Amino acid sequence: MKIAVLGGDGFVGWPTSLHLSQAGHEVHILDNLSRRWIDAELGVQSLTPVETIQERLRAWHTETGRHIHFHLVDIARDYDVLKSWLAENRPDAVVHFAEQRAAPYSMRSDRHKNYTVNNNVNATHNVLNALIELDLDAHLVHLGTMGVYGYSSVGAAIPEGYLPVGIENLAGDQASLEILYPANPGSVYHMTKCLDQLLFQFYAKNDGVRITDLHQGIVWGTHTEETRLHPQLINRFDYDGDYGTVLNRFLIQAAIGYPLTVHGTGGQTRAFIHIQDSVRCIEIALKNPPKRGDRVKIFNQMTQTHRVRDLAKLVSGMTGVDINYLPNPRKEAAENDLVVKNEQFLALGLDPITLEQGLMNEVVDVARHYADRVDRSRVPAAVAWTRDIAEQLDEASSPSAPRAALG
Ligand code: NAD
Ligand code: USQ
Protein backbone atom coordinates (compact mmCIF):
# COMPACT_ATOMS: atom_id res chain seq x y z
CA MET A 1 0.00 0.00 0.00
CA LYS A 2 1.00 3.61 -0.44
CA ILE A 3 0.48 5.13 3.02
CA ALA A 4 0.60 8.76 4.12
CA VAL A 5 1.56 9.08 7.77
CA LEU A 6 0.48 12.50 9.02
CA GLY A 7 2.54 13.35 12.10
CA GLY A 8 5.07 10.61 11.30
CA ASP A 9 7.92 12.40 13.10
CA GLY A 10 6.26 12.00 16.52
CA PHE A 11 6.46 9.49 19.36
CA VAL A 12 3.96 7.01 17.89
CA GLY A 13 4.16 8.17 14.25
CA TRP A 14 7.89 7.50 13.87
CA PRO A 15 7.93 3.83 14.97
CA THR A 16 4.70 3.31 13.00
CA SER A 17 6.33 4.68 9.84
CA LEU A 18 9.31 2.37 10.30
CA HIS A 19 7.09 -0.63 10.99
CA LEU A 20 4.95 -0.02 7.90
CA SER A 21 8.03 0.56 5.74
CA GLN A 22 9.61 -2.65 7.03
CA ALA A 23 6.40 -4.48 6.14
CA GLY A 24 6.96 -3.38 2.54
CA HIS A 25 4.58 -0.43 2.28
CA GLU A 26 5.48 2.81 0.49
CA VAL A 27 5.51 5.29 3.36
CA HIS A 28 5.28 9.09 3.11
CA ILE A 29 5.61 11.15 6.27
CA LEU A 30 3.81 14.50 6.26
CA ASP A 31 4.71 16.57 9.30
CA ASN A 32 5.23 20.25 10.12
CA LEU A 33 7.75 19.37 12.89
CA SER A 34 5.65 21.40 15.34
CA ARG A 35 6.45 18.93 18.12
CA ARG A 36 10.13 19.86 17.82
CA TRP A 37 9.21 23.54 17.98
CA ILE A 38 7.13 22.95 21.11
CA ASP A 39 10.20 21.45 22.78
CA ALA A 40 11.96 24.73 22.00
CA GLU A 41 9.01 26.74 23.33
CA LEU A 42 8.97 24.76 26.59
CA GLY A 43 12.76 24.70 26.88
CA VAL A 44 12.92 20.90 27.09
CA GLN A 45 14.24 18.11 24.94
CA SER A 46 13.44 14.48 24.37
CA LEU A 47 15.34 12.32 26.85
CA THR A 48 16.74 10.43 23.88
CA PRO A 49 18.77 12.37 21.28
CA VAL A 50 16.52 12.57 18.21
CA GLU A 51 18.14 13.17 14.83
CA THR A 52 16.68 15.55 12.25
CA ILE A 53 13.96 13.89 10.19
CA GLN A 54 16.24 13.86 7.14
CA GLU A 55 18.98 12.13 9.11
CA ARG A 56 16.50 9.62 10.56
CA LEU A 57 15.37 8.71 7.04
CA ARG A 58 18.93 8.47 5.75
CA ALA A 59 19.79 6.09 8.62
CA TRP A 60 16.70 4.00 7.82
CA HIS A 61 17.76 3.70 4.19
CA THR A 62 21.34 2.79 5.13
CA GLU A 63 20.15 0.19 7.62
CA THR A 64 17.40 -1.46 5.56
CA GLY A 65 17.72 -0.26 1.97
CA ARG A 66 14.17 1.09 2.24
CA HIS A 67 13.04 4.64 1.47
CA ILE A 68 10.59 6.69 3.52
CA HIS A 69 9.66 10.02 1.98
CA PHE A 70 9.22 13.26 3.95
CA HIS A 71 7.08 16.30 3.13
CA LEU A 72 7.09 19.38 5.34
CA VAL A 73 3.46 20.46 5.52
CA ASP A 74 1.14 21.91 8.13
CA ILE A 75 -2.01 19.81 7.80
CA ALA A 76 -4.04 22.34 9.78
CA ARG A 77 -2.96 25.48 7.91
CA ASP A 78 -1.71 24.50 4.45
CA TYR A 79 -4.91 23.05 3.05
CA ASP A 80 -3.92 23.66 -0.57
CA VAL A 81 -0.51 22.05 -0.12
CA LEU A 82 -2.10 19.02 1.53
CA LYS A 83 -4.72 18.77 -1.21
CA SER A 84 -2.13 19.02 -4.01
CA TRP A 85 0.00 16.38 -2.33
CA LEU A 86 -2.96 14.01 -1.98
CA ALA A 87 -4.04 14.70 -5.58
CA GLU A 88 -0.58 13.92 -6.90
CA ASN A 89 0.15 10.89 -4.72
CA ARG A 90 -3.30 9.33 -4.22
CA PRO A 91 -2.37 7.13 -1.22
CA ASP A 92 -4.34 3.98 -0.40
CA ALA A 93 -4.43 4.89 3.26
CA VAL A 94 -3.83 7.91 5.47
CA VAL A 95 -2.78 7.43 9.11
CA HIS A 96 -3.52 10.61 11.04
CA PHE A 97 -1.38 11.36 14.11
CA ALA A 98 -0.93 15.06 13.35
CA GLU A 99 -2.43 16.72 16.40
CA GLN A 100 -1.25 18.50 19.56
CA ARG A 101 -1.55 15.60 21.98
CA ALA A 102 -0.61 16.76 25.48
CA ALA A 103 -3.51 17.48 27.82
CA PRO A 104 -1.42 19.69 30.18
CA TYR A 105 -0.06 21.72 27.24
CA SER A 106 -3.61 22.27 26.00
CA MET A 107 -4.54 23.73 29.43
CA ARG A 108 -1.54 26.10 29.77
CA SER A 109 -3.25 29.34 28.70
CA ASP A 110 -5.93 30.74 26.41
CA ARG A 111 -3.32 30.79 23.63
CA HIS A 112 -2.55 27.11 24.08
CA LYS A 113 -6.25 26.26 24.16
CA ASN A 114 -6.76 28.14 20.88
CA TYR A 115 -3.73 26.53 19.31
CA THR A 116 -4.83 23.02 20.29
CA VAL A 117 -8.41 23.46 19.06
CA ASN A 118 -7.40 25.20 15.82
CA ASN A 119 -4.60 22.77 15.07
CA ASN A 120 -6.41 19.54 15.86
CA VAL A 121 -9.87 20.25 14.51
CA ASN A 122 -8.59 21.96 11.35
CA ALA A 123 -6.11 19.18 10.67
CA THR A 124 -8.82 16.54 10.86
CA HIS A 125 -11.31 18.56 8.85
CA ASN A 126 -8.76 19.45 6.18
CA VAL A 127 -7.93 15.79 5.61
CA LEU A 128 -11.58 14.76 5.32
CA ASN A 129 -12.44 17.72 3.12
CA ALA A 130 -9.57 17.02 0.73
CA LEU A 131 -10.36 13.30 0.45
CA ILE A 132 -13.93 14.11 -0.56
CA GLU A 133 -13.02 16.94 -2.92
CA LEU A 134 -10.48 14.70 -4.71
CA ASP A 135 -12.85 11.72 -4.75
CA LEU A 136 -10.03 9.80 -3.11
CA ASP A 137 -11.20 6.57 -1.49
CA ALA A 138 -8.25 6.27 0.90
CA HIS A 139 -8.83 4.55 4.23
CA LEU A 140 -8.39 7.13 6.98
CA VAL A 141 -7.00 5.70 10.22
CA HIS A 142 -7.09 8.24 13.03
CA LEU A 143 -5.41 8.08 16.41
CA GLY A 144 -8.04 9.07 18.92
CA THR A 145 -8.03 8.58 22.68
CA MET A 146 -9.69 6.58 25.44
CA GLY A 147 -10.25 9.99 27.01
CA VAL A 148 -13.24 10.65 24.73
CA TYR A 149 -15.27 8.41 27.06
CA GLY A 150 -14.11 10.01 30.31
CA TYR A 151 -12.86 7.47 32.82
CA SER A 152 -15.81 7.18 35.16
CA SER A 153 -17.13 3.70 35.60
CA VAL A 154 -20.81 3.06 35.95
CA GLY A 155 -20.07 -0.52 36.80
CA ALA A 156 -20.04 -1.52 33.12
CA ALA A 157 -17.25 -2.03 30.62
CA ILE A 158 -16.67 0.79 28.10
CA PRO A 159 -17.73 -0.57 24.70
CA GLU A 160 -15.80 0.01 21.47
CA GLY A 161 -17.23 3.37 20.46
CA TYR A 162 -20.95 2.70 20.31
CA LEU A 163 -23.50 2.33 23.07
CA PRO A 164 -26.78 0.49 22.51
CA VAL A 165 -29.62 2.52 24.04
CA GLY A 166 -33.34 2.06 24.35
CA ILE A 167 -35.69 5.01 24.03
CA GLU A 168 -39.47 5.17 24.29
CA ASN A 169 -40.93 6.28 20.96
CA LEU A 170 -44.08 8.35 20.48
CA ALA A 171 -46.21 5.21 20.23
CA GLY A 172 -44.97 4.21 23.70
CA ASP A 173 -42.87 1.33 22.36
CA GLN A 174 -39.18 0.75 23.07
CA ALA A 175 -37.01 1.74 20.12
CA SER A 176 -33.36 0.75 20.17
CA LEU A 177 -30.41 2.43 18.52
CA GLU A 178 -26.62 2.60 18.81
CA ILE A 179 -25.14 5.99 19.56
CA LEU A 180 -21.57 7.21 19.92
CA TYR A 181 -20.67 6.63 23.57
CA PRO A 182 -21.37 9.97 25.30
CA ALA A 183 -18.33 12.20 25.02
CA ASN A 184 -16.89 13.27 28.36
CA PRO A 185 -13.56 15.03 27.78
CA GLY A 186 -11.31 16.00 30.70
CA SER A 187 -9.10 18.57 28.94
CA VAL A 188 -9.16 20.85 25.89
CA TYR A 189 -6.96 18.31 24.11
CA HIS A 190 -9.38 15.46 24.87
CA MET A 191 -12.26 17.72 23.77
CA THR A 192 -10.69 18.09 20.32
CA LYS A 193 -10.75 14.29 19.95
CA CYS A 194 -14.47 14.34 20.79
CA LEU A 195 -14.98 16.96 18.06
CA ASP A 196 -12.99 14.77 15.66
CA GLN A 197 -15.46 11.95 16.35
CA LEU A 198 -18.38 14.06 15.13
CA LEU A 199 -16.49 15.10 11.99
CA PHE A 200 -15.87 11.42 11.26
CA GLN A 201 -19.48 10.44 11.92
CA PHE A 202 -20.76 13.13 9.56
CA TYR A 203 -18.37 12.49 6.65
CA ALA A 204 -18.73 8.70 6.84
CA LYS A 205 -22.49 9.14 6.64
CA ASN A 206 -22.61 11.94 4.10
CA ASP A 207 -19.78 11.01 1.73
CA GLY A 208 -18.99 7.39 2.51
CA VAL A 209 -15.44 8.12 3.67
CA ARG A 210 -13.88 4.92 5.05
CA ILE A 211 -12.70 5.78 8.56
CA THR A 212 -11.22 3.85 11.47
CA ASP A 213 -10.91 5.73 14.77
CA LEU A 214 -8.51 4.15 17.25
CA HIS A 215 -9.37 5.12 20.82
CA GLN A 216 -5.94 4.65 22.23
CA GLY A 217 -4.88 4.45 25.87
CA ILE A 218 -1.63 5.84 27.30
CA VAL A 219 1.34 4.58 25.31
CA TRP A 220 4.34 3.41 27.32
CA GLY A 221 7.81 2.17 26.41
CA THR A 222 10.15 3.66 23.85
CA HIS A 223 11.71 1.00 21.61
CA THR A 224 10.11 -1.08 18.89
CA GLU A 225 11.74 -3.79 16.77
CA GLU A 226 12.63 -1.19 14.14
CA THR A 227 13.84 1.65 16.37
CA ARG A 228 16.24 -0.85 18.00
CA LEU A 229 17.97 -1.43 14.65
CA HIS A 230 20.27 1.60 14.86
CA PRO A 231 20.96 4.36 17.45
CA GLN A 232 19.98 7.02 14.90
CA LEU A 233 16.51 5.46 14.64
CA ILE A 234 15.81 5.99 18.34
CA ASN A 235 12.34 7.18 19.27
CA ARG A 236 11.64 10.43 21.08
CA PHE A 237 10.98 9.98 24.80
CA ASP A 238 9.21 12.71 26.75
CA TYR A 239 9.70 13.15 30.50
CA ASP A 240 8.59 16.75 31.14
CA GLY A 241 5.45 17.78 33.03
CA ASP A 242 3.50 18.52 29.84
CA TYR A 243 4.34 15.75 27.37
CA GLY A 244 5.69 12.96 29.57
CA THR A 245 2.97 10.38 30.23
CA VAL A 246 2.58 8.76 33.57
CA LEU A 247 4.27 5.35 33.33
CA ASN A 248 7.15 6.57 31.17
CA ARG A 249 7.61 9.46 33.59
CA PHE A 250 7.74 7.11 36.57
CA LEU A 251 10.32 4.91 34.85
CA ILE A 252 12.50 7.90 33.96
CA GLN A 253 12.09 9.37 37.44
CA ALA A 254 13.20 6.04 38.91
CA ALA A 255 16.27 6.09 36.66
CA ILE A 256 17.35 9.53 37.89
CA GLY A 257 16.35 9.00 41.54
CA TYR A 258 13.51 11.55 41.46
CA PRO A 259 10.62 10.69 43.83
CA LEU A 260 7.67 9.50 41.74
CA THR A 261 5.21 12.30 41.06
CA VAL A 262 1.83 10.77 41.93
CA HIS A 263 -1.07 13.21 41.57
CA GLY A 264 -3.34 13.19 44.62
CA THR A 265 -3.94 9.72 45.98
CA GLY A 266 -2.98 8.14 42.65
CA GLY A 267 -6.46 6.64 42.52
CA GLN A 268 -6.91 7.35 38.78
CA THR A 269 -7.24 4.21 36.68
CA ARG A 270 -6.23 4.53 33.03
CA ALA A 271 -5.86 2.32 29.96
CA PHE A 272 -2.34 1.51 28.67
CA ILE A 273 -0.66 0.02 25.63
CA HIS A 274 2.99 -0.66 24.87
CA ILE A 275 4.45 1.24 21.88
CA GLN A 276 5.19 -2.05 20.08
CA ASP A 277 1.53 -3.07 20.34
CA SER A 278 0.44 0.39 19.26
CA VAL A 279 2.27 0.07 15.92
CA ARG A 280 0.97 -3.48 15.49
CA CYS A 281 -2.61 -2.35 16.08
CA ILE A 282 -2.28 0.35 13.43
CA GLU A 283 -1.07 -2.25 10.95
CA ILE A 284 -4.02 -4.51 11.86
CA ALA A 285 -6.44 -1.62 11.43
CA LEU A 286 -4.97 -0.85 7.99
CA LYS A 287 -5.50 -4.46 6.95
CA ASN A 288 -9.15 -4.42 8.05
CA PRO A 289 -10.75 -1.28 6.60
CA PRO A 290 -14.46 -0.59 6.77
CA LYS A 291 -16.43 -0.73 3.53
CA ARG A 292 -17.53 2.45 1.78
CA GLY A 293 -20.79 3.58 3.36
CA ASP A 294 -20.10 1.77 6.68
CA ARG A 295 -20.27 3.76 9.87
CA VAL A 296 -16.93 4.74 11.45
CA LYS A 297 -15.11 1.64 12.71
CA ILE A 298 -13.99 2.25 16.29
CA PHE A 299 -11.45 0.13 18.17
CA ASN A 300 -10.32 0.55 21.77
CA GLN A 301 -6.56 0.45 21.29
CA MET A 302 -5.42 -0.57 24.77
CA THR A 303 -4.31 -3.77 26.41
CA GLN A 304 -4.51 -3.26 30.18
CA THR A 305 -5.82 -0.85 32.78
CA HIS A 306 -3.77 0.21 35.80
CA ARG A 307 -4.26 2.50 38.78
CA VAL A 308 -1.61 5.23 38.99
CA ARG A 309 -0.61 4.47 42.60
CA ASP A 310 -0.24 0.77 41.76
CA LEU A 311 2.15 1.69 38.94
CA ALA A 312 4.10 3.92 41.33
CA LYS A 313 4.36 1.10 43.90
CA LEU A 314 5.46 -1.33 41.20
CA VAL A 315 8.19 1.01 39.93
CA SER A 316 9.24 1.88 43.48
CA GLY A 317 9.44 -1.81 44.36
CA MET A 318 11.58 -2.50 41.27
CA THR A 319 14.00 0.37 41.74
CA GLY A 320 13.81 1.55 45.36
CA VAL A 321 12.80 5.12 44.40
CA ASP A 322 10.53 7.05 46.80
CA ILE A 323 6.94 7.98 46.00
CA ASN A 324 5.76 11.57 46.40
CA TYR A 325 1.99 12.13 46.67
CA LEU A 326 1.52 15.65 45.28
CA PRO A 327 -1.46 17.98 45.05
CA ASN A 328 -3.14 17.19 41.74
CA PRO A 329 -2.83 20.05 39.18
CA ARG A 330 -5.62 18.50 37.09
CA LYS A 331 -9.38 18.64 37.51
CA GLU A 332 -10.19 14.94 37.49
CA ALA A 333 -11.81 12.35 39.72
CA ALA A 334 -9.48 11.43 42.58
CA GLU A 335 -10.40 7.76 42.26
CA ASN A 336 -12.02 5.83 39.43
CA ASP A 337 -12.36 2.28 38.22
CA LEU A 338 -12.09 1.52 34.52
CA VAL A 339 -13.08 -1.57 32.59
CA VAL A 340 -12.63 -1.44 28.82
CA LYS A 341 -13.58 -3.79 26.01
CA ASN A 342 -10.88 -4.47 23.42
CA GLU A 343 -12.18 -7.65 21.82
CA GLN A 344 -11.85 -6.48 18.23
CA PHE A 345 -8.05 -6.29 18.20
CA LEU A 346 -7.78 -9.55 20.14
CA ALA A 347 -10.05 -11.22 17.57
CA LEU A 348 -7.83 -9.87 14.78
CA GLY A 349 -4.75 -11.49 16.31
CA LEU A 350 -3.23 -8.97 18.72
CA ASP A 351 -1.20 -10.81 21.37
CA PRO A 352 -0.87 -8.10 24.02
CA ILE A 353 2.38 -7.13 25.67
CA THR A 354 1.68 -6.87 29.37
CA LEU A 355 3.40 -4.88 32.06
CA GLU A 356 6.31 -7.17 32.65
CA GLN A 357 9.41 -6.25 34.54
CA GLY A 358 11.81 -6.93 31.65
CA LEU A 359 10.27 -4.28 29.44
CA MET A 360 10.00 -1.79 32.25
CA ASN A 361 13.65 -2.37 33.11
CA GLU A 362 14.56 -1.76 29.48
CA VAL A 363 12.94 1.69 29.70
CA VAL A 364 14.77 2.42 32.96
CA ASP A 365 18.04 1.40 31.29
CA VAL A 366 17.41 3.73 28.33
CA ALA A 367 16.62 6.52 30.79
CA ARG A 368 19.78 5.83 32.85
CA HIS A 369 21.84 5.88 29.67
CA TYR A 370 20.61 9.39 28.79
CA ALA A 371 20.13 10.65 32.36
CA ASP A 372 22.57 13.54 31.84
CA ARG A 373 20.12 15.03 29.29
CA VAL A 374 17.39 15.42 31.94
CA ASP A 375 16.66 18.88 33.32
CA ARG A 376 15.22 18.00 36.73
CA SER A 377 13.49 21.37 36.97
CA ARG A 378 11.26 20.34 34.03
CA VAL A 379 9.99 17.18 35.73
CA PRO A 380 7.17 18.68 37.87
CA ALA A 381 3.78 19.14 36.20
CA ALA A 382 3.28 22.87 36.51
CA VAL A 383 -0.01 23.48 34.66
CA ALA A 384 -3.13 23.85 36.82
CA TRP A 385 -6.38 22.96 35.05
CA THR A 386 -8.40 25.77 36.72
CA ARG A 387 -7.81 29.04 38.59
CA ASP A 388 -8.99 27.47 41.85
CA ILE A 389 -6.51 24.64 41.50
CA ALA A 390 -3.74 27.14 40.69
CA GLU A 391 -4.47 28.96 43.96
CA GLN A 392 -4.51 25.70 45.92
CA LEU A 393 -1.16 24.71 44.39
CA ASP A 394 0.33 28.07 45.31
CA GLU A 395 -0.78 27.58 48.91
CA ALA A 396 0.47 24.00 48.97
CA SER A 397 3.90 25.01 47.66
CA SER A 398 4.39 27.62 50.38
CA PRO A 399 7.31 26.58 52.61
CA SER A 400 5.05 25.69 55.59
CA ALA A 401 2.86 23.25 53.60
CA PRO A 402 3.27 19.55 54.50
CA ARG A 403 4.30 16.99 51.85
CA ALA A 404 3.94 13.21 52.06
CA ALA A 405 6.89 11.12 50.94
CA LEU A 406 6.67 7.36 51.21
CA GLY A 407 9.39 4.84 50.68
P1 NAD B 1 3.58 13.61 19.13
O1 NAD B 1 3.29 14.98 19.59
O2 NAD B 1 4.86 12.98 19.53
O3 NAD B 1 3.45 13.52 17.54
C1 NAD B 1 2.54 14.25 16.78
C2 NAD B 1 3.21 14.62 15.47
O4 NAD B 1 2.27 15.37 14.69
C3 NAD B 1 4.44 15.50 15.67
O5 NAD B 1 5.51 15.01 14.90
C4 NAD B 1 3.98 16.88 15.19
O6 NAD B 1 5.04 17.64 14.66
C5 NAD B 1 2.93 16.51 14.17
N1 NAD B 1 1.89 17.54 13.97
C6 NAD B 1 1.11 18.13 14.89
N2 NAD B 1 0.31 19.04 14.30
C7 NAD B 1 0.57 19.01 12.97
C8 NAD B 1 0.10 19.71 11.85
N3 NAD B 1 -0.81 20.68 11.97
N4 NAD B 1 0.60 19.43 10.63
C9 NAD B 1 1.56 18.47 10.48
N5 NAD B 1 2.07 17.78 11.51
C10 NAD B 1 1.58 18.05 12.75
O7 NAD B 1 2.34 12.71 19.63
P2 NAD B 1 2.23 11.10 19.74
O8 NAD B 1 2.45 10.74 21.16
O9 NAD B 1 3.02 10.47 18.69
O10 NAD B 1 0.69 10.92 19.44
C11 NAD B 1 0.25 10.73 18.11
C12 NAD B 1 -1.27 10.65 18.09
O11 NAD B 1 -1.69 9.57 18.92
C13 NAD B 1 -1.93 11.92 18.61
O12 NAD B 1 -2.99 12.28 17.78
C14 NAD B 1 -2.40 11.52 19.98
O13 NAD B 1 -3.57 12.21 20.30
C15 NAD B 1 -2.63 10.04 19.88
N6 NAD B 1 -2.41 9.34 21.16
C16 NAD B 1 -1.19 9.37 21.77
C17 NAD B 1 -1.04 8.71 22.99
C18 NAD B 1 0.27 8.71 23.75
O14 NAD B 1 0.31 8.19 24.88
N7 NAD B 1 1.35 9.25 23.20
C19 NAD B 1 -2.12 8.02 23.56
C20 NAD B 1 -3.34 8.01 22.89
C21 NAD B 1 -3.47 8.69 21.69
N1 USQ C 1 -0.30 11.50 36.46
C1 USQ C 1 0.35 11.41 37.69
N2 USQ C 1 1.64 11.80 37.73
C2 USQ C 1 2.33 12.24 36.64
C3 USQ C 1 1.67 12.31 35.40
C4 USQ C 1 0.35 11.94 35.35
O1 USQ C 1 -0.22 11.00 38.70
O2 USQ C 1 3.52 12.56 36.78
C5 USQ C 1 -1.71 11.08 36.36
C6 USQ C 1 -2.62 12.16 35.77
O3 USQ C 1 -3.11 13.03 36.78
C7 USQ C 1 -3.69 11.30 35.12
C8 USQ C 1 -2.96 10.05 34.69
O4 USQ C 1 -1.76 10.01 35.44
O5 USQ C 1 -4.65 10.93 36.07
C9 USQ C 1 -2.64 9.98 33.20
O6 USQ C 1 -1.91 11.12 32.82
P1 USQ C 1 -1.00 11.09 31.49
O7 USQ C 1 -0.29 12.40 31.39
O8 USQ C 1 -0.18 9.86 31.48
O9 USQ C 1 -2.09 10.89 30.34
P2 USQ C 1 -3.12 11.90 29.64
O10 USQ C 1 -2.97 13.28 30.10
O11 USQ C 1 -4.48 11.29 29.77
O12 USQ C 1 -2.70 11.87 28.11
C10 USQ C 1 -2.03 10.78 27.50
C11 USQ C 1 -1.54 11.27 26.14
C12 USQ C 1 -2.75 11.62 25.27
C13 USQ C 1 -3.66 10.41 25.17
C14 USQ C 1 -4.08 9.92 26.55
C15 USQ C 1 -4.80 8.60 26.49
O13 USQ C 1 -0.70 12.40 26.30
O14 USQ C 1 -2.30 12.00 23.97
O15 USQ C 1 -4.82 10.73 24.44
O16 USQ C 1 -2.88 9.68 27.33
S1 USQ C 1 -6.01 8.44 27.77
O17 USQ C 1 -5.37 8.75 29.05
O18 USQ C 1 -6.48 7.07 27.74
O19 USQ C 1 -7.05 9.39 27.50
Side-chain angles (χ1 to χ4, degrees):
M1 274 193 272
K2 186 191 271 193
I3 304 174
V5 182
L6 316 181
D9 187 48
F11 169 61
V12 191
W14 174 243
T16 301
S17 300
L18 299 185
H19 187 73
L20 295 174
S21 174
Q22 190 74 317
H25 299 291
E26 180 183 328
V27 175
H28 295 256
I29 291 176
L30 282 74
D31 200 299
N32 65 349
L33 308 183
S34 53
R35 182 67 195 83
R36 293 173 184 252
W37 284 102
I38 290 174
D39 272 347
E41 174 199 347
L42 298 178
V44 292
Q45 59 180 355
S46 159
L47 175 79
T48 47
V50 176
E51 299 281 358
T52 63
I53 181 71
Q54 291 81 2
E55 199 51 29
R56 281 179 144 185
L57 299 181
R58 195 189 59 75
W60 178 243
H61 178 62
T62 308
E63 196 57 33
T64 64
R66 299 183 186 280
H67 280 291
I68 296 178
H69 310 268
F70 171 64
H71 311 271
L72 183 68
V73 50
D74 187 325
I75 312 294
R77 297 172 65 166
D78 301 336
Y79 176 71
D80 291 335
V81 179
L82 170 69
K83 189 173 149 190
S84 314
W85 188 88
L86 288 170
E88 216 169 285
N89 290 278
R90 300 196 78 82
D92 304 295
V94 176
V95 187
H96 175 24
F97 296 99
E99 297 185 69
Q100 191 300 100
R101 70 103 176 132
Y105 184 85
S106 78
M107 302 300 284
R108 272 189 163 253
S109 71
D110 52 351
R111 184 176 73 74
H112 294 88
K113 289 177 186 175
N114 273 343
Y115 169 72
T116 303
V117 171
N118 292 338
N119 187 64
N120 294 4
V121 179
N122 279 336
T124 299
H125 192 260
N126 281 347
V127 176
L128 290 160
N129 205 6
L131 292 179
I132 293 157
E133 189 58 25
L134 297 168
D135 198 17
L136 178 53
D137 185 27
H139 175 204
L140 177 61
V141 176
H142 171 252
L143 272 292
T145 175
M146 285 297 304
V148 295
Y149 303 118
Y151 313 101
S152 68
S153 65
V154 288
I158 293 183
E160 303 208 54
Y162 297 98
L163 182 69
V165 293
I167 185 167
E168 191 178 302
N169 65 20
L170 294 176
D173 301 325
Q174 274 292 312
S176 55
L177 69 160
E178 283 206 311
I179 58 169
L180 274 178
Y181 195 91
N184 186 11
S187 72
V188 166
Y189 153 72
H190 287 99
M191 183 178 67
T192 64
K193 296 284 182 177
C194 298
L195 298 171
D196 284 346
Q197 282 197 107
L198 285 182
L199 298 176
F200 295 141
Q201 188 183 43
F202 173 72
Y203 283 115
K205 181 182 70 171
N206 197 64
D207 299 277
V209 182
R210 295 184 297 131
I211 302 167
T212 298
D213 199 5
L214 303 173
H215 289 181
Q216 183 166 243
I218 301 169
V219 182
W220 71 280
T222 178
H223 283 317
T224 60
E225 278 162 23
E226 288 79 24
T227 63
R228 277 193 195 92
L229 288 175
H230 191 273
Q232 283 186 299
L233 299 173
I234 201 159
N235 200 8
R236 66 168 301 120
F237 196 17
D238 298 307
Y239 69 88
D240 62 285
D242 282 41
Y243 276 88
T245 52
V246 65
L247 178 52
N248 276 357
R249 265 165 71 74
F250 286 174
L251 293 167
I252 294 165
Q253 291 166 358
I256 62 167
Y258 192 106
L260 305 181
T261 55
V262 173
H263 293 165
T265 59
Q268 313 86 348
T269 308
R270 294 289 183 271
F272 289 83
I273 184 165
H274 189 268
I275 183 84
Q276 181 70 65
D277 276 348
S278 179
V279 305
R280 285 196 185 123
C281 284
I282 291 159
E283 189 183 18
I284 293 174
L286 283 164
K287 283 184 181 155
N288 294 278
K291 290 194 293 296
R292 209 168 165 79
D294 283 357
R295 71 179 182 181
V296 178
K297 201 166 184 176
I298 301 177
F299 291 83
N300 288 339
Q301 184 162 311
M302 52 71 68
T303 54
Q304 288 185 300
T305 59
H306 301 286
R307 203 176 282 279
V308 168
R309 65 170 164 262
D310 294 340
L311 291 176
K313 285 177 188 159
L314 193 68
V315 174
S316 173
M318 260 169 64
T319 60
V321 69
D322 285 345
I323 300 177
N324 202 356
Y325 292 87
L326 298 163
N328 194 345
R330 305 184 182 202
K331 184 163 181 167
E332 61 184 357
E335 303 269 332
N336 73 282
D337 294 322
L338 184 65
V339 181
V340 181
K341 290 197 173 169
N342 66 342
E343 283 134 16
Q344 294 184 99
F345 272 129
L346 299 180
L348 290 168
L350 179 71
D351 179 16
I353 294 171
T354 51
L355 205 61
E356 48 105 349
Q357 203 140 329
L359 275 175
M360 288 196 290
N361 273 326
E362 181 190 60
V363 179
V364 176
D365 286 346
V366 172
R368 283 203 180 112
H369 187 75
Y370 295 108
D372 59 345
R373 289 172 55 87
V374 175
D375 177 348
R376 294 171 77 94
S377 74
R378 308 322 304 258
V379 173
V383 180
W385 251 229
T386 67
R387 274 202 193 92
D388 287 352
I389 295 173
E391 281 164 20
Q392 287 161 20
L393 291 184
D394 279 349
E395 280 167 29
S397 65
S398 70
S400 55
R403 278 274 162 90
L406 302 181

